């Protein structure tokens, strides 16, 4: 997306440090900009890549206040007994515990994006969630089985590897219960192997159609994966949710997750995929063959280019140059998928520096950037109770189920395997813009989030409306306000509060109006 600016409109700051923070965080603040200048932006970026060295205690302290967050990243063996103990089965409430855990994970993600100092890490968590997409949308999907697994998916596949190695993440993703359930491994059989995972593995996760794979390749992947299925707690089978495992059949555990190979469903023989070939005659040879195939695909040059294209869309522009794709793809391949090495190459690429003003914030990013700019935390003053549970659990704030749901951008909420789109044309429409503008007002009034302390936005108190406008705009936009934008904001203020607005009687209201109008400027919508 190329931005053009009429005379007097506020263009994005040409400051390279501000540009880096716009792209590698969920929204820069004046304080962050000051801190990064003191540290040095290159030093800041390197420290961000070493995310575990950065304290996340502020977020952890906040989360520790609420019992609901004890559900985050818990597996089915933790959640299932809660469902059994707390739900009223006769009312069809049994699955509320997994639904609850998934909604809490959505909120947890928003809080991390907003307040974690590990901003590059959180950006890459979202990036890989979109690349290896498994949604958290409630138990209506996949017969209610998917949400039992998404919390451990978030932790063990995505968060543990977001700044690690791509092949390691891909290997774990393929055998995690969430992926097995989401892409229909559960219904695959020896006679009718399901092709969904094989199709997405090639089309989305690795080489893409440019590599020239064939239908025969998809079928052989489906055959190789035909025996994988999830292992649920014994009490699940006792309740009749699914027939108990046939004791006459043979099941072999696939570590480290609750996944098994069903010998009677597993295909054997020789498998061929895009030049890769392996013969599998025993169950013991299945997992090594899967790992070999995934390693082959992870190292394929077309996989490097596919990842480079997505990184370009995320950090540079909607349509990255072929030069960028080729060079970043080559770095991906030569580094054997080392994510930190690839991000350094993106950071130092000339296309990145030249890309100021070329990316639009998606709705969720805009939402989080407002929360960061106002330095607010979720408001849990009106907690409810989880409907249908006999024990009271604190209900999450409406951040996910109301605000982000209306905007169409719930974290981890995209239903389809391709992940949320990351180009402006997918998000630019009048309805989306109105929702964004209404959201700005909601932030200022308090509700889903705590009411902001707006005095933080103007370091020097002034009764001069021009000075007041300029201070707020500089704090939020990190650049000077354009003359036309300043005039339009001042006109709105004087229309509402008179030619000489009274800061003694209306300081709060004047400030709120200015802040909302600054958020509504086109420049604010840029990443």
């Amino acid at each position: 997306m190329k931005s053009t600016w009429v005379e007097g409109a506020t263009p994005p700051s040409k400051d390279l440090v501000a540009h880096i923070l716009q792209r590698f965080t969920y929204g820069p603040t004046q304080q962050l900009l000051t801190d990064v200048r003191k540290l040095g932006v290159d030093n800041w970026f390197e420290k961000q890549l070493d995310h575990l060295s950065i304290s996340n205690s502020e977020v952890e302290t906040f989360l520790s206040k609420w019992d609901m967050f004890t559900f985050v990243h818990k597996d089915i063996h933790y959640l299932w007994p809660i469902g059994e103990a707390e739900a009223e089965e006769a009312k069809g409430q049994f699955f509320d515990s997994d639904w609850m855990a998934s909604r809490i994970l959505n909120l947890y993600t928003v809080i991390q994006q907003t307040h974690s100092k590990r901003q590059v890490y959180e950006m890459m968590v979202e990036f890989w969630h979109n690349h290896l997409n498994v949604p958290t949308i409630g138990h209506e999907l996949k017969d209610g089985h998917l949400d039992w697994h998404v919390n451990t998916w978030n932790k063990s596949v995505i968060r543990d590897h977001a700044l690690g190695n791509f092949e390691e993440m891909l290997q774990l993703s393929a055998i995690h219960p969430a992926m097995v359930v989401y892409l229909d491994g559960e219904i695959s059989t020896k006679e009718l192997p399901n092709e969904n995972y094989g199709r997405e593995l090639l089309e989305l996760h690795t080489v893409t159609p440019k590599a020239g794979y064939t239908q025969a390749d998809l079928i052989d992947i489906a055959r190789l994966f035909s025996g994988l299925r999830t292992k649920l707690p014994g009490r699940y089978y006792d309740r009749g949710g699914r027939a108990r495992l046939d004791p006459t059949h043979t099941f072999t555990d696939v570590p480290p997750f609750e996944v098994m190979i069903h010998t009677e469903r597993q295909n054997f023989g020789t498998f061929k995929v895009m030049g890769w070939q392996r013969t599998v005659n025993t169950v013991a040879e299945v997992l090594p063959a899967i790992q070999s195939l995934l390693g082959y695909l992870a190292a394929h040059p077309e996989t490097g280019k596919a990842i480079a294209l997505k990184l370009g869309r995320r950090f540079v522009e909607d349509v990255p140059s072929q030069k960028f794709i080729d060079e970043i793809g080559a770095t991906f391949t030569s580094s054997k998928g080392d994510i930190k090495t690839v991000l350094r190459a993106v950071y130092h690429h000339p296309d990145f520096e030249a890309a100021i003003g070329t990316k639009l914030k998606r709705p969720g990013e805009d939402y989080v950037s407002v929360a960061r700019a106002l330095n607010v935390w979720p408001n849990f003053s009106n907690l409810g109770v989880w409907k249908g549970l006999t024990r009271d659990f604190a209900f999450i704030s409406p951040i996910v189920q109301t605000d982000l749901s209306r905007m169409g951008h719930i974290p981890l909420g995209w239903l389809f395997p391709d992940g949320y789109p990351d180009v402006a044309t997918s998000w630019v429409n009048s309805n989306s813009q109105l929702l964004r503008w209404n959201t700005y007002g909601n932030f200022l009034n308090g509700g889903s989030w705590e009411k902001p302390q707006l005095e933080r936005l103007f370091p020097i108190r002034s009764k001069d409306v021009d000075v007041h406008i300029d201070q707020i705009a500089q704090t939020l936009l990190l650049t000077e306000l354009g003359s036309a934008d300043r005039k339009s904001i001042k006109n709105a203020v004087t229309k509402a509060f008179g030619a000489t607005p009274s800061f003694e009687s209306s300081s709060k209201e004047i400030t709120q109006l200015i802040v909302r109008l600054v958020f509504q400027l086109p420049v604010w919508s840029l990443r």
Side-chain angles (χ1 to χ4, degrees):
M1 183 190 78
K2 298 295 183 182
S3 302
T4 57
W5 305 94
V6 299
E7 184 177 354
T10 309
S13 171
K14 294 183 179 179
D15 181 350
L16 180 58
V17 176
H19 171 56
I20 289 169
L21 296 181
Q22 286 281 11
R23 295 299 172 87
F24 282 103
T25 76
Y26 281 94
T29 63
Q30 192 68 56
Q31 185 61 56
L32 178 60
L33 184 64
T34 300
D35 293 343
V36 170
R37 289 195 194 285
K38 289 180 181 178
L39 180 64
V41 66
D42 291 345
N43 292 334
W44 173 84
F45 187 77
E46 279 301 316
K47 188 167 182 62
Q48 285 287 309
L49 296 183
D50 185 19
H51 70 285
L52 293 178
S53 70
I54 303 171
S55 172
N56 201 33
S57 59
E58 189 176 22
V59 173
E60 291 166 355
T61 298
F62 177 82
L63 297 176
S64 69
K65 298 176 183 178
W66 312 104
D67 289 344
M68 70 179 80
F69 292 108
T70 61
F71 289 89
V72 171
H73 298 150
K74 295 299 192 295
D75 66 13
I76 189 172
H77 295 285
Y78 179 95
L79 298 172
W80 190 266
I82 294 172
E84 285 200 313
E86 305 300 342
E88 295 182 49
E89 185 177 2
K91 296 181 181 179
Q93 297 163 347
F94 180 71
F95 287 105
D96 275 5
S97 55
D98 75 301
W99 188 94
M100 172 175 61
S102 295
R103 301 295 75 72
I104 292 168
L105 177 59
N106 298 143
L107 180 60
Y108 170 91
T109 302
V110 174
I111 294 170
Q112 294 286 2
Q113 291 173 351
T114 305
H115 286 289
S116 175
K117 291 181 171 58
R118 302 168 178 176
Q119 283 287 291
V120 172
Y121 168 71
E122 290 299 329
M123 296 284 284
M124 293 309 294
V125 166
E126 184 186 19
F127 177 86
W128 293 118
H129 264 300
N130 279 284
H131 184 71
L132 300 167
N133 189 52
V134 173
T136 60
I137 60 168
H139 46 257
E140 66 274 12
L141 187 68
K142 304 299 178 182
D143 296 325
H145 297 151
L146 184 58
D147 273 8
W148 290 113
H149 305 295
V150 292
N151 270 272
T152 58
W153 165 268
N154 178 270
K155 178 67 168 62
S156 58
V157 175
I158 304 299
R159 286 190 167 271
D160 284 355
H161 299 86
L163 285 174
N165 179 270
F166 174 73
E167 183 189 338
E168 292 177 9
M169 182 163 44
L170 182 69
Q171 294 277 3
L172 292 171
S173 73
I175 60 172
H176 192 280
M179 186 67 80
V180 175
V181 171
Y182 179 52
L183 292 182
D184 296 320
E186 288 284 277
I187 64 175
S188 189
T189 65
K190 186 173 185 178
E191 295 76 20
L192 293 172
N194 190 280
E195 297 174 21
N196 284 354
Y197 176 72
R199 182 176 296 105
E200 310 310 351
L201 174 64
L202 295 181
E203 180 179 337
L204 299 174
H205 301 170
T206 58
V207 295
T208 76
K210 289 185 177 181
Y213 57 80
T214 66
Q215 179 64 19
D217 295 323
L218 296 178
I219 291 173
D220 264 16
I221 295 175
R223 291 177 59 243
L224 178 59
F225 279 79
S226 64
L228 279 187
R229 67 174 297 169
T230 57
K231 181 168 64 174
L232 299 168
R235 288 287 298 157
Y236 174 88
Y237 303 103
D238 292 341
R239 295 177 69 91
R242 181 187 297 167
R244 177 173 281 281
L245 299 177
D246 190 331
T248 66
H249 290 178
T250 306
F251 300 90
T252 302
D253 288 342
V254 177
F257 305 121
E258 297 297 307
V259 173
M260 308 172 292
I261 296 173
H262 189 319
T263 301
E264 285 70 25
R265 292 199 322 178
Q266 178 64 47
N267 279 279
F268 298 98
T270 298
F271 303 89
K272 299 178 181 179
V273 181
M274 294 180 57
W276 173 90
Q277 180 173 320
R278 193 80 170 238
T279 299
V280 176
N281 294 316
T282 67
V283 170
E285 295 172 331
V286 174
L287 184 57
I290 287 174
Q291 293 169 335
S292 174
L293 171 62
L294 295 173
Y296 172 82
L297 293 173
H300 198 287
E302 290 299 330
T303 298
K305 292 179 182 179
I307 301 296
L309 172 61
K310 289 190 174 182
L311 287 170
R313 285 179 183 158
R314 167 105 293 254
F315 295 110
V316 183
E317 55 189 336
D318 286 1
V319 184
S321 70
Q322 192 60 50
K323 182 175 185 291
F324 178 91
I325 293 170
D326 290 342
E327 291 176 357
I328 300 302
T331 299
F332 182 94
T333 302
S334 64
S335 70
K336 299 182 179 180
D338 182 76
I339 296 167
K340 293 179 182 179
T341 299
V342 175
L343 283 180
R344 290 188 185 100
V346 172
Y347 173 81
H348 290 292
H349 199 279
D351 283 10
F352 171 77
E353 183 172 342
I356 292 174
T358 60
K359 285 295 295 183
L360 182 79
K361 296 175 186 174
R362 294 179 293 184
E365 296 161 16
D366 194 357
Y367 187 85
V368 169
S369 70
V370 171
R372 284 176 59 78
L374 298 177
N375 192 29
V376 289
W377 291 82
N379 179 10
F380 291 143
S381 62
N382 295 312
L383 293 176
V385 176
W386 280 102
K387 186 177 180 181
L389 294 181
T390 56
R391 174 183 169 193
D392 290 353
F393 288 94
F395 194 91
I396 59 175
S397 74
I399 287 171
V400 173
Q401 292 303 105
T402 302
D403 296 354
L404 290 171
S405 179
R406 287 174 181 167
M407 301 174 85
H409 202 189
I410 295 175
L412 288 63
W414 186 252
L415 296 180
F416 309 106
D418 56 346
Y420 280 110
D422 200 2
V423 293
T425 52
S426 298
W427 301 102
V428 176
N429 58 73
S430 57
N431 182 61
S432 177
Q433 196 60 56
L434 285 172
L435 286 169
R436 293 190 191 211
W437 289 349
N438 289 334
T439 296
Y440 304 149
N442 293 339
F443 268 105
L444 294 171
N445 293 325
S448 300
W449 298 78
E450 296 171 346
K451 190 169 291 188
Q453 299 178 29
L454 295 179
E455 60 272 12
R456 294 173 176 172
L457 302 179
F458 44 93
I460 301 172
R461 293 183 178 275
S462 174
K463 296 180 181 180
D464 185 304
V465 67
D466 290 294
V467 173
H468 202 59
I469 290 171
D470 285 341
Q471 283 194 84
I472 293 172
Q474 178 70 44
T475 300
L476 294 175
L477 301 177
L478 308 181
T479 189
E480 290 186 3
L481 199 61
S483 58
D485 286 341
R486 181 189 295 106
K487 182 179 180 180
S488 67
I489 292 174
K490 183 176 180 180
N491 286 343
V493 172
T494 55
K495 184 177 181 180
F497 298 97
T500 55
S502 172
F503 282 87
E504 285 81 4
S505 61
S506 304
S507 176
K508 173 186 170 184
E509 292 78 9
I510 293 170
T511 300
Q512 284 184 328
L513 177 58
I514 294 170
V515 171
R516 184 167 183 172
L517 292 172
V518 170
F519 283 147
Q520 290 180 195
L521 294 176
V523 68
W524 175 260
S525 296
L526 295 180
R527 185 193 294 162

